[in-house]
Amino acid sequence: VGGRIRPVTPTELATHNTQNDAWLAIRGRVYNITHYLPYHPGGPEELMRGAGIDATQLFDKVHPWVNYDSLLAKCLVGPLRFDLPSAE
Ligand code: HEM
């Protein structure tokens, strides 16, 4: 069963900032990193620095060579979107 891909606003992203429920955005894509935390080579604490935010700059500062989109393919929530239609 494939996950539903849907847009995420920065406000919603910000609410997912705990180790039990952690999302992060890189280059306009939001990922649920909760299940990846234990496997992050830099440790969960380092990865949590990017939780709930657009972590693009942080990510690029540490390891721009890492293929995050491939590693987190199954963790994709959807695109980061500032404007959402009010009717849903
Ligand atoms: C390694 C921090 C996000 C995947 C590391 C290391 C640090 C770090 C400090 C170095 C560990 C060491 O060499 O001892 C962070 C921070 C992040 C972040 C602050 C917040 C944005 C991510 C993401 C992924 C990722 C989103 C991919 C899903 C990796 C991988 C390594 C690594 C694969 C090993 C890289 C290598 O040795 O070439 N991280 N990380 N990290 N991280 Fe992250």
Side-chain angles (χ1 to χ4, degrees):
V1 182
R4 284 160 49 105
I5 299 301
R6 56 151 181 95
V8 177
T9 63
T11 305
E12 182 185 9
L13 173 61
T15 66
H16 300 273
N17 64 346
T18 67
Q19 294 224 18
N20 290 329
D21 176 19
W23 294 8
L24 148 167
I26 300 176
R27 275 181 267 285
R29 288 155 82 84
V30 177
Y31 303 94
N32 182 339
I33 55 165
T34 311
H35 299 295
Y36 181 70
L37 280 168
Y39 303 102
H40 180 235
E45 296 84 4
E46 278 293 320
L47 185 50
M48 279 303 291
R49 293 173 63 203
I53 64 172
D54 180 341
T56 306
Q57 293 188 352
L58 193 54
F59 179 90
D60 285 345
K61 229 181 281 177
V62 185
H63 42 36
W65 57 86
V66 169
N67 194 344
Y68 61 92
D69 195 47
S70 170
L71 288 166
L72 301 176
K74 290 181 175 170
C75 307
L76 181 67
V77 181
L80 187 61
R81 283 274 182 280
F82 285 84
D83 316 317
L84 275 180
S86 50
E88 281 206 279

